Amino acid sequence: MSESEPLSPPQERECVLCGRQDVWSDEDTNWRIAHEGEAHCIHEWDINGTYNPF
Ligand SMILES: [Zn+2]
């Protein structure tokens, strides 16, 4: 039995390379840095593209 959940945009994201964490701000309609990672990291966000079903 699976209910159909509405797809909501992610509210947070994390870089899988440097560990930087952002949180989504509805006020700014932009990402806010919650935890600084590497300044020169290219940032590979864990929410990019398709969702991992893990
Ligand atoms: Zn990064």
Side-chain angles (χ1 to χ4, degrees):
M1 285 187 285
S2 63
E3 298 179 7
S4 58
E5 300 176 14
L7 282 179
S8 57
Q11 296 298 299
E12 56 187 36
R13 64 181 183 180
E14 179 173 350
C15 176
V16 298
L17 299 179
C18 73
R20 172 173 150 173
Q21 296 171 335
D22 286 357
V23 290
W24 181 256
S25 167
D26 283 327
E27 290 176 22
D28 300 342
T29 59
N30 209 338
W31 292 102
R32 265 188 202 160
I33 300 174
H35 175 77
E36 286 276 7
E38 292 286 336
H40 299 293
C41 180
I42 57 172
H43 297 314
E44 183 83 29
W45 302 114
D46 59 353
I47 60 168
N48 268 354
T50 54
Y51 243 47
N52 265 337
F54 290 124

